[in-house]
């Protein structure tokens, strides 16, 4: 038992007179330290305090302690917080990713989830002939975390005094501009929680007034002194200590630097706060690291916190006697927070703060508001859709007043461009680097230019200029300039080795899109220049290299896409079609009617269990009126791991080494079957069956099958996969390794 508990009767009466209201017992303060994922142990410790019947009169925390403490202060019971943290997708929250289903159709095709691993802000002033690239304030902006905190703190989002919360609360941040400790005891609750855990270099700091706030753990990771100042007579603290048994594992990493910062800067204060704690709970978290945010680890960390608190049961029992608490009387505060269970929110008005160049009406169209009501989930989705536009660095919301609420979005428009960089490796193209930047072409955000460059064995440069009229319609012009080295096979044997340049200019007359659907009408000019054309003795009929290499094509296309992921989706569906007329002189092909080509694709993931998924699909392409001289570049090709990798019409066929040249009508039935033994690890198999014929009579044509088996790990840089494929054409095993998202 702590000696300070025995001394309580000696100082209780004079100390009580200093309080704003007369107390009939000593007050209890709880302090929760920082520690990232290790801080989930606070939940287990609080469970034991609830079970013991210990009242909590004040609560203070830092970093993860601020998050758990802030929620506890507004009425979230420990079993609710336990469920909340376990059901979250922490990989998503600790990133700036946007769920694919929240992107509008025009962005889904061009922005693979997670493809860019680094974004560098830059300013370019063409008239002044000046420009500069700067490092971002943090790898992660924290948009997703702030949205979560906003959702959980509905009812407490006004600027408030945290002393007026159901349990008075305080958290700690550090002002990186002055190097001073900042105790947050008033303001906007979700903003305070976000500021307290802004790990330097990882999360962007929070700007507040003239301060730049970062994680308080570097200056006061265990704020016992703060809870004492709030009025606590007795302090129960949960301290996540550094695990010295794992020093070797983290040596030389950013994790070691972050863990060491607080000890290096504020060791003296930390030691004083430990000495000033009446009941100190120190969970044994050996083998767990700061970034162990997987569900299985979270569950174990919470249990470790509970086990550590139970070891203090005798001290807690002694404290109850000191507080004159009996088993038949529960003196803990009864907190009624009606907002926790309020799912449907009634909205009185909507407004945006921070809009300068964007029409507020367009933003309101992104909100899923029905009869002036919106669910909490739809509110988060709407926020994500606004952020997904790419026009803002931050999108936050708050609900002012009581129901019906005033819904207020605070947005920060981008005043800079970003250079986005991605990298990947595979055994076909070897290393590949992707660079992308959006460029504003005027003061309005309704028109912009996107530039994308891939450096690899098959490089390209793509430029896309578009003019957007509202959120449902746009038009523009785009160009893609690429070089491709392609081996073309026939039944597993090489028939062509091509090295060619393709310059393509697309005039997009009309692009109409709703959230998941896009329709596009336009014309495309293709210019081909063949650098190398090596062929075998195999004779390919109906193809002519030597005719006109400039083609004018007209197309009408449509896409419906609500897949939740581009890689291994688990919900939604994808359907696309493209009907095109191909000519060499605006209206004919080689003196005859233009080629009529229809291309369709469909696939839909089906969830069989929590870990087992199957994704059947079909791809088909047919040339309705083939001439005697079809340009080879517009023929039907299947093969390879990715659709459209070498030529736009290429149909991926797992298990094949390269592109196979097939006849005028092709249909491929394919299925992906996968089993996730953890959220980030899975094994899978791909099966496909291909039929082809000169005409639409596929049942009378030829066929072959293929497939692959593999393992995939979803790493921080994207999927790492190894697979082995087989096709009845080549009749040999084909290994394939890839690291990173495809681009």
């Amino acid at each position: 038992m702590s000696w300070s508990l025995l001394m309580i009767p000696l100082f209780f009466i004079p100390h009580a007179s200093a309080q704003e209201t007369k107390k009939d017992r000593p007050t209890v303060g709880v302090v929760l330290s920082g520690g990232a994922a290790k801080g989930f142990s606070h939940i287990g410790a609080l469970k034991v305090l609830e079970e013991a019947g210990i009242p909590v009169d004040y609560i203070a925390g830092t970093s993860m302690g601020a998050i758990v403490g802030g929620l506890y202060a507004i009425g979230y019971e420990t079993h609710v917080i336990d469920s909340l943290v376990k059901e979250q997708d922490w990989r998503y929250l600790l990133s700036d990713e946007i769920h694919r289903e929240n992107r509008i159709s025009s962005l889904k095709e061009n922005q693979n989830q997670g493809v860019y691993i680094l974004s560098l802000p830059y300013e370019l002033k063409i008239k002044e002939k000046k420009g500069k690239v700067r490092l971002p304030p943090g790898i992660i902006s924290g948009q997703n975390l702030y949205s979560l905190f906003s959702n959980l703190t509905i009812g407490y989002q006004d600027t408030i005094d945290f002393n007026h919360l159901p349990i008075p609360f305080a958290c700690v941040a550090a002002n990186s501009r002055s190097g001073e400790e900042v105790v947050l005891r008033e303001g906007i609750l979700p903003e305070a929680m976000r500021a307290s855990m802004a790990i330097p270099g990882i999360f962007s700091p929070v700007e507040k007034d003239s301060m730049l706030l970062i994680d308080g753990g570097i200056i006061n990771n265990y704020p016992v002194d703060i809870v004492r100042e709030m009025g606590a007579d007795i302090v129960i603290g949960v301290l996540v200590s550094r695990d010295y048994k794992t020093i070797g594992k983290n040596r030389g990493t950013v994790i070691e630097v972050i863990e060491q910062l607080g000890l290096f800067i504020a060791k003296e204060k930390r030691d004083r706060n430990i000495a000033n704690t009446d009941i100190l709970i120190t969970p044994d978290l050996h083998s767990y690291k700061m970034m162990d945010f997987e569900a299985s680890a979270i569950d174990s960390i919470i249990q470790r916190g509970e086990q550590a608190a139970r070891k203090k049961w005798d001290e807690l029992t002694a404290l109850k006697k000191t507080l004159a608490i009996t088993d038949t009387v529960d003196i803990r505060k009864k907190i009624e927070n009606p907002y926790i269970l309020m799912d449907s929110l009634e909205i009185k008005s909507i407004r945006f703060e921070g809009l300068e160049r964007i029409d507020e009406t367009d933003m309101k169209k992104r909100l899923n508001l029905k009869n002036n009501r919106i669910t909490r989930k739809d509110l988060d989705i709407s926020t994500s859709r606004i952020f997904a536009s790419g026009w803002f660095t931050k999108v936050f919301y708050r609900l002012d007043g009581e129901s019906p609420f005033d819904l207020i979005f605070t947005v920060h428009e981008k005043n800079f461009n970003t250079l986005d960089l991605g990298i990947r490796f595979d055994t076909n193209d070897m290393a590949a680097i992707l660079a992308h930047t959006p460029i504003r072409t005027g003061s309005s955000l309704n028109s912009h230019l996107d530039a994308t460059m891939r450096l690899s064995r098959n490089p390209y440069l793509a430029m896309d200029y578009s003019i957007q009229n509202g959120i449902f319609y746009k038009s523009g012009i785009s160009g893609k300039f690429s070089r491709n080295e392609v081996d073309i096979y026939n039944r597993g044997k090489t028939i062509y080795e091509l090295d060619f340049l393709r310059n393509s200019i697309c005039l997009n007359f009309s692009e109409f899109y709703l959230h998941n659907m896009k329709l596009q009408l336009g014309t495309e000019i293709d210019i081909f220049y063949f650098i190398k054309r090596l062929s075998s003795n195999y004779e390919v009929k109906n193809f002519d290299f030597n005719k006109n290499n400039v083609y004018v094509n007209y197309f009408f296309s449509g896409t419906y896409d609500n897949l939740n992921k581009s890689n291994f989706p688990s919900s939604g569906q994808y359907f696309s079609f493209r009907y095109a007329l191909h000519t060499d002189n605006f209206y004919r092909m080689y003196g005859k009617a233009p080629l009529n080509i229809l291309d369709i694709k469909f696939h839909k993931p089906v969830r069989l269990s929590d870990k087992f998924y199957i994704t059947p699909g079909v791809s088909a392409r047919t040339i309705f009126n083939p001439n005697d001289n079809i340009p080879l570049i517009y023929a039907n090709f299947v093969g390879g791991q990715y659709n459209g990798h070498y030529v736009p019409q290429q149909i991926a066929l797992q298990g094949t080494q390269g592109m196979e040249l097939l006849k005028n009508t092709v249909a491929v039935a394919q299925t992906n079957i996968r089993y996730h033994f953890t959220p980030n690890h899975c094994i899978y198999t791909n099966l496909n069956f291909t039929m082809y014929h000169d005409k639409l009579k596929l049942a009378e044509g030829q066929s072959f099958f293929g497939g692959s088996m593999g393992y995939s790990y979803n790493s921080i840089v994207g999927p790492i996969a190894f697979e082995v494929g087989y096709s009845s054409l080549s009749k040999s095993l084909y290994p394939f390794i890839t690291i990173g998202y495809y681009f």
Side-chain angles (χ1 to χ4, degrees):
M1 181 186 301
S2 172
W3 283 104
S4 58
L5 294 180
L6 298 177
M7 298 296 292
I8 287 172
L10 298 179
F11 64 77
F12 170 56
I13 295 176
H15 185 73
S17 62
Q19 303 300 309
E20 294 180 2
T21 57
K22 185 177 179 180
K23 299 182 296 184
D24 55 3
R25 62 169 177 81
T27 54
V28 178
V30 169
V31 179
L32 307 176
S33 75
K38 295 181 180 181
F40 291 129
S41 59
H42 301 325
I43 302 168
L46 288 171
K47 282 183 180 181
V48 176
L49 297 188
E50 286 182 351
E51 183 180 336
I54 302 297
V56 178
D57 301 299
Y58 306 97
I59 193 163
T62 300
S63 197
M64 184 60 78
I67 297 171
V68 175
L71 295 179
Y72 197 76
I74 61 174
Y76 282 86
E77 296 181 350
T78 53
H79 71 277
V80 177
I81 302 176
D82 183 310
S83 299
L84 279 173
V85 300
K86 289 178 182 176
E87 70 186 18
Q88 300 304 320
D89 181 355
W90 287 97
R91 187 181 192 86
Y92 166 75
L93 291 172
L94 300 174
S95 74
D96 290 329
E97 290 182 5
I98 300 167
H99 286 312
R100 192 172 184 274
E101 60 264 39
N102 293 336
R103 295 185 184 274
I104 60 174
S105 295
S106 61
L107 297 178
K108 287 179 180 178
E109 296 176 358
N110 300 323
Q111 298 185 23
N112 257 341
Q113 182 176 337
V115 68
Y116 300 114
I117 60 176
L118 179 64
S119 291
L120 298 175
Y122 72 90
E123 293 180 274
L124 182 63
K125 298 179 180 179
I126 298 176
K127 292 182 179 180
E128 293 85 352
K129 297 181 180 180
K130 293 193 303 184
K132 63 179 180 179
V133 177
R134 52 193 173 96
L135 292 175
I139 298 173
I140 303 165
S141 73
Q143 170 70 32
N144 295 334
L145 269 177
Y146 201 112
S147 291
L148 173 67
F149 297 160
S150 296
N151 187 298
L152 297 177
T153 58
I154 287 175
Y156 297 93
Q157 296 177 344
D158 293 329
T159 299
I160 55 176
D161 185 340
F162 297 163
N163 283 321
H164 296 157
L165 295 178
I167 299 176
F169 168 72
C171 61
V172 179
N175 184 2
S176 64
R177 288 175 176 154
S178 66
E180 296 176 343
E181 177 181 349
V182 178
V183 181
L184 300 170
R185 296 180 62 176
E186 63 180 7
I188 301 172
L189 182 58
E191 180 184 64
M193 294 161 62
R194 167 67 179 83
S196 185
M197 52 75 62
I199 301 172
I202 304 297
F203 288 100
S204 296
V206 173
E207 290 202 51
K208 183 176 176 62
D209 302 325
S210 62
M211 300 180 294
L212 195 64
L213 301 180
I214 59 175
D215 193 312
I218 68 169
I219 201 164
N220 191 356
N221 196 46
Y222 180 56
V224 173
D225 54 331
I226 304 304
V227 85
R228 290 284 189 190
E229 292 174 6
M230 295 170 70
D233 300 316
I234 301 167
V235 174
I236 302 172
V238 186
L239 176 61
V240 176
S241 299
R242 190 181 183 199
D243 183 4
Y244 290 94
K245 298 176 184 178
T246 61
I247 289 178
K249 295 181 179 179
N250 294 329
R251 188 175 299 279
T253 67
V254 67
I255 300 298
E256 182 189 21
V257 173
I258 293 170
E259 286 184 333
Q260 195 69 17
L261 270 176
L263 296 177
F264 178 74
I265 297 173
K267 184 178 184 303
E268 185 178 344
K269 173 174 281 194
R270 179 177 179 274
D271 291 343
R272 286 200 309 269
N273 283 335
I274 291 174
N276 200 20
T277 304
D278 297 299
I279 300 177
L280 180 62
I281 300 170
T282 54
D284 178 9
L285 298 173
H286 172 57
S287 79
Y288 290 103
K289 299 180 286 296
M290 291 177 59
M291 302 307 291
D292 282 338
F293 283 94
E294 292 192 0
S296 57
I298 292 173
D299 187 58
S300 297
I301 290 170
I302 293 173
Q303 291 180 26
R304 296 282 184 93
E306 184 175 348
Q307 292 166 5
R310 291 197 183 281
K311 292 180 180 179
K312 301 291 182 175
W313 189 262
D314 290 343
E315 294 182 46
L316 295 174
T317 302
L319 174 59
K320 285 180 63 175
K321 292 180 180 179
T322 303
L323 300 176
I325 300 173
T326 65
D327 293 335
T328 58
V329 178
D330 187 355
I331 66 169
R332 292 180 302 157
K333 290 183 180 180
K334 304 296 184 184
I335 300 175
E336 298 290 338
N337 184 345
Y339 301 105
I340 293 177
L341 299 178
M342 184 183 292
D343 181 57
S344 180
L345 307 169
E346 187 175 358
I347 305 302
K348 179 171 59 177
S349 67
I350 301 171
R351 75 173 187 270
F352 283 78
E353 296 177 347
L355 290 180
E356 296 179 3
R357 292 165 292 176
I358 302 171
D359 188 352
E360 184 174 290
T361 303
D362 286 346
M363 292 297 99
K364 289 182 178 180
K365 290 178 181 178
R366 298 175 187 264
L367 303 178
N368 191 11
L369 199 66
K370 299 177 181 178
N371 299 321
N372 294 323
R373 303 191 74 90
I374 191 170
T375 66
R376 294 169 87 124
K377 181 179 179 181
D378 283 340
L379 183 54
D380 281 348
I381 290 173
S382 299
T383 304
S384 182
R385 288 178 179 175
I386 295 171
F387 184 67
S389 68
W391 295 336
F392 309 106
T393 58
K394 298 176 184 177
V395 179
F396 304 146
Y397 70 83
R398 70 180 188 272
L399 294 165
D400 280 359
E402 298 182 355
S403 183
F405 300 100
D406 294 313
L407 174 58
I408 300 150
F409 285 94
T410 301
V411 300
H412 294 188
E413 289 186 4
K414 282 185 177 179
N415 58 4
F416 57 85
N417 297 313
T418 58
L419 176 62
D420 308 316
L421 299 173
I423 188 168
R424 72 182 303 273
F425 167 88
D426 68 42
T427 47
N428 286 341
D429 282 345
M430 305 305 290
I433 297 173
L434 190 70
H436 163 266
T437 183
I439 302 172
R440 292 198 309 272
T441 55
S443 59
S444 172
L445 292 178
N446 289 335
S447 65
H448 68 276
L449 175 68
D450 271 291
T452 305
M453 176 183 289
R454 182 177 74 190
L455 301 176
S456 69
R457 291 176 59 184
N458 294 276
Y460 68 72
L461 171 65
M463 309 286 286
D464 184 358
Y465 175 75
S466 62
I467 301 173
Q468 188 157 336
N469 183 10
I471 67 170
F472 300 124
Y473 171 82
K474 73 175 184 179
S475 59
I477 183 171
S478 61
K480 186 172 183 179
F481 314 96
S482 61
R483 177 169 180 168
N484 290 286
E485 296 180 11
V486 184
D487 291 337
I488 299 177
Y489 297 83
N490 185 276
R491 315 305 180 266
K493 296 181 180 180
T494 305
I495 58 173
Y496 281 114
E497 294 178 14
L498 301 182
D499 183 356
F500 64 91
L501 301 178
R502 174 174 182 154
N503 301 326
S504 179
I505 298 175
C506 177
L507 299 174
N508 180 14
F509 297 133
S510 175
E511 182 175 316
F512 173 83
Y513 53 92
L514 295 175
H515 180 59
N516 294 315
M517 182 183 70
K518 180 176 76 171
L519 296 174
Q520 189 175 6
L521 177 67
T523 187
E524 186 176 57
I525 301 173
D526 281 341
I527 304 171
F528 298 96
Y529 176 68
F530 291 93
I531 301 170
K532 182 176 67 174
R533 295 177 286 187
L534 299 179
S535 62
S536 68
N537 293 326
Y538 185 89
E539 182 182 359
V540 182
K541 297 180 180 180
N542 299 335
F543 298 107
D544 193 335
F545 285 109
N546 299 314
K547 297 248 181 174
N548 192 351
N549 286 335
V550 179
Y551 303 96
V552 179
N553 311 316
Y554 310 95
F555 67 89
F556 175 62
S557 64
T559 302
Y560 179 86
D561 181 357
N562 67 339
L563 296 173
N564 64 333
K565 297 178 183 178
S566 56
N567 184 64
F568 290 151
S570 57
S571 65
Q573 58 186 321
Y574 177 90
F575 171 76
S576 70
F577 72 89
R578 189 177 193 270
Y579 178 75
L581 298 177
H582 295 262
T583 77
D584 68 343
N585 64 354
F586 292 97
Y587 67 99
R588 297 171 72 87
M589 177 65 80
Y590 299 155
K592 298 183 179 180
L595 293 179
N596 290 258
I597 301 178
L598 176 64
D599 192 328
I600 61 171
K601 292 181 177 65
F602 171 80
H603 60 272
K604 177 178 176 59
V606 178
R607 178 178 175 270
L608 301 180
S609 71
D610 289 339
K611 297 183 177 182
F612 194 40
Y613 296 87
I614 182 170
T615 304
V618 63
S619 300
R621 188 172 188 267
T622 184
I623 304 172
F624 287 108
N625 59 333
N627 295 330
D628 293 336
N629 295 304
I630 299 172
L632 177 65
I633 206 67
Y634 293 133
N636 286 332
F637 295 102
V638 300
Q641 274 68 31
Y642 308 106
N643 287 323
H645 183 63
Y646 296 110
V647 291
Q649 72 270 25
Q650 176 184 350
I651 298 174
L653 209 61
Q654 310 304 318
T656 57
Q657 184 171 0
M659 292 201 307
E660 287 279 339
L661 175 62
L662 298 185
K663 296 183 179 180
N664 297 326
T665 298
V666 177
V668 179
Q670 50 213 351
T671 300
N672 170 269
I673 304 170
R674 69 184 189 275
Y675 177 80
H676 291 265
F677 45 93
T678 74
N680 293 321
H681 298 263
C682 76
I683 54 175
Y684 61 89
T685 184
N686 295 301
L687 302 174
N688 52 71
F689 181 72
T690 304
M691 298 182 292
Y692 55 99
H693 193 272
D694 274 336
K695 298 181 180 180
L696 288 172
K697 302 177 181 179
L698 287 173
E700 301 176 6
Q702 297 173 281
S703 63
F704 62 90
F705 67 89
S708 62
M709 296 185 65
Y711 159 81
S712 178
Y713 167 65
N714 191 19
S715 74
I716 193 171
V717 297
I720 300 174
F722 171 78
E723 66 182 51
V724 177
Y726 177 84
S727 169
S728 62
L729 288 177
S730 59
K731 297 183 179 179
S732 61
L733 295 177
Y734 168 56
F736 180 72
I737 300 173
T738 179
I739 300 173
Y741 287 101
Y742 169 72
F743 51 76

